[in-house]
Amino acid sequence: MRTAVFRETPLLIGIVALIGLETTTVLDWLLLQPALPVLTGLGLLSVLVLLMARGVAHHADQLAERLGEPLGTLVLTGSVIVIELALIASTMLTGDSNPTLARDSMFSVLMIVLTGVKGVTVIVAARVQRQGRTQPMQPEDLAAVNQSGSSAYINLITTMSVLALVLPNFSQDSLEANYSLPINWLLTFVSISLYAIFLRGQVGRYRNLFLDTAQQQTSGSLSLADSTAEAPTPPDEAEGSILKNGALMAAGLLVLVLIAESMGTLIETGINDLGLPSSLGGLLVGLLVVAPEALNAFQAAGKGELQRSLNTLYGSSLSTLCLTVPAVLAIGEFTNTDVILGLDPLESVLLVLTLILVRPISGRVSELDGLMLLTVGVVWVALQVVS
């Protein structure tokens, strides 16, 4: 009981902090201070957000075990995309006009997830796989990935990345790096339709493509000895656990969204005071957005469940592309706000390189695969700082 209460302490502190930010003038006072107090406040809120993200990841992990894969990770993916859409929508509706906001946000999430988080996840899973082995690794000893499911994810991520972030630079029907209104509506329809079809297949007919090898072998075939060895969880207790974890995860995400909005203002002020590149703000906000999913992926990789980690990461990238693009295009159209989708040439090259590296060559991965992704991520971050 004490452990459960202690685990929810960050959420309680977050609620208190949120009430203080919303009902007092402490945020306005902090924004008028020099850089050091602003960065101190930002650091404290960042620590709180990370602790809350850890709690969200725990409840998502519990839901994944109760609901099974891949439905379990879809719950976290769907919840986290709400954070991103809320941040972008609130900035577009109330903040200064920034036509590249959605583009920078999507690109930041993709690079953080596909290079940094996946790189660490692959390294952790590979090390777990080789624990206790004294002989040289053989191909069959490497961390296993369901190649069919991963390829389906990456094919769709690649398609939407090129259509939404690269191809607009070469479009002839608009003066800016964007499409004309009819093509934008077509892109919106395609994004939502592909995502809906993909989700239907993922939780339905093609569910086994998103399970790891061990889960496929045991799916739907339990022996009598296994079924009688342990008493099943009562339906009421299982349903109560799902509702409890779902409610706590939703509460944590809601508080995270509202605190992250205040942090966005602090990030912008701190960057301006220190004379840092404005693109660094998108990187910091992106880190806050993906924190719950990143921690959930690390936890799964630490248990050797690489496929569940990849389902979380690829699902986050795919939902970012398929849901954020229609949302920002609609908001831009209804509010007469300019939206630029096409990436700069340097970013386009990094995106293409990332999509090549994440594509599975075989059903096995090693620490070297993760190291290459981390290298690209470090170079991208360095370019954000010095640009």
Side-chain angles (χ1 to χ4, degrees):
M1 180 67 179
R2 288 184 177 180
T3 303
V5 173
F6 179 76
R7 186 182 296 119
E8 305 307 327
T9 300
L11 175 58
L12 298 177
I13 296 176
I15 293 174
V16 173
L18 180 61
I19 294 174
L21 291 172
E22 295 294 332
T23 60
T24 68
T25 59
V26 62
L27 182 60
D28 296 330
W29 173 84
L30 192 59
L31 292 174
L32 298 176
Q33 303 306 306
L36 183 58
V38 172
L39 294 178
T40 302
L42 182 59
L44 292 175
L45 285 178
S46 298
V47 172
L48 176 59
V49 166
L50 290 177
L51 291 175
M52 291 178 60
R54 184 179 179 183
V56 170
H58 168 75
H59 294 301
D61 191 59
Q62 296 296 312
L63 283 174
E65 292 180 0
R66 292 291 186 183
L67 298 176
E69 285 302 307
L71 186 60
T73 54
L74 287 177
V75 174
L76 179 60
T77 299
S79 301
V80 170
I81 193 63
V82 173
I83 298 179
E84 184 178 4
L85 291 176
L87 289 174
I88 294 176
S90 63
T91 305
M92 291 182 67
L93 294 175
T94 62
D96 296 333
S97 178
N98 185 355
T100 63
L101 172 67
R103 179 199 71 182
D104 293 341
S105 174
M106 288 186 289
F107 181 64
S108 295
V109 170
L110 286 177
M111 293 300 293
I112 293 171
V113 169
L114 297 181
T115 61
V117 180
K118 184 185 175 182
V120 174
T121 296
V122 170
I123 291 174
V124 171
R127 289 188 174 182
V128 170
Q129 188 72 13
R130 67 177 175 86
Q131 282 180 353
R133 297 182 182 273
T134 58
Q135 300 297 323
M137 297 289 287
Q138 301 297 324
E140 59 272 15
D141 297 328
L142 300 176
V145 178
N146 190 326
Q147 188 173 359
S148 298
S150 296
S151 295
Y153 261 125
I154 295 173
N155 286 338
L156 191 49
I157 290 172
T158 301
T159 299
M160 292 308 305
S161 296
V162 173
L163 290 179
L165 300 177
V166 178
L167 197 59
N169 288 321
F170 304 94
S171 174
Q172 300 297 321
D173 62 344
S174 176
L175 297 178
E176 297 180 334
N178 194 5
Y179 299 115
S180 61
L181 181 59
I183 303 299
N184 277 336
W185 284 118
L186 176 62
L187 180 62
T188 297
F189 174 78
V190 168
S191 300
I192 297 176
S193 299
L194 284 178
Y195 192 61
I197 294 171
F198 180 83
L199 288 184
R200 181 179 180 184
Q202 186 182 17
V203 300
R205 179 178 301 178
Y206 302 107
R207 178 175 178 271
N208 282 342
L209 299 183
F210 304 92
L211 304 178
D212 61 30
T213 305
Q215 286 178 305
Q216 285 188 22
Q217 293 174 350
T218 59
S219 178
S221 58
L222 293 175
S223 63
L224 180 61
D226 291 334
S227 61
T228 57
E230 183 178 354
T233 303
D236 293 341
E237 183 178 342
E239 182 178 354
S241 178
I242 292 174
L243 293 176
K244 175 185 175 182
N245 285 288
L248 289 173
M249 188 184 74
L253 286 169
L254 177 60
V255 176
L256 274 175
V257 169
L258 299 176
I259 291 180
E261 290 185 12
S262 299
M263 291 185 65
T265 306
L266 289 176
I267 289 173
E268 183 179 356
T269 302
I271 287 177
N272 292 335
D273 290 345
L274 295 176
L276 297 175
S278 58
S279 58
L280 194 59
L283 171 61
L284 296 177
V285 173
L287 287 172
L288 297 175
V289 169
V290 303
E293 288 182 320
L295 292 175
N296 183 258
F298 296 154
Q299 288 178 358
K303 299 176 183 178
E305 300 174 350
L306 179 58
Q307 189 61 48
R308 180 147 72 92
S309 297
L310 295 183
N311 287 346
T312 301
L313 302 181
Y314 291 155
S316 171
S317 302
L318 185 58
S319 61
T320 294
L321 291 166
C322 291
L323 299 181
T324 304
V325 170
V328 299
L329 288 178
I331 294 174
E333 180 63 25
F334 292 135
T335 61
N336 293 321
T337 303
D338 292 332
V339 175
I340 294 179
L341 294 177
L343 294 171
D344 296 333
L346 178 62
E347 296 172 334
S348 298
V349 172
L350 284 174
L351 177 61
V352 171
L353 176 59
T354 299
L355 293 174
I356 291 174
L357 291 178
V358 298
R359 183 169 295 278
I361 304 301
S362 64
R364 304 283 173 171
V365 294
S366 67
E367 295 177 6
L368 292 177
D369 297 296
L371 184 60
M372 287 187 292
L373 290 171
L374 276 178
T375 301
V376 176
V378 169
V379 172
W380 169 66
V381 172
L383 291 173
Q384 296 296 304
V385 174
V386 301
S387 61

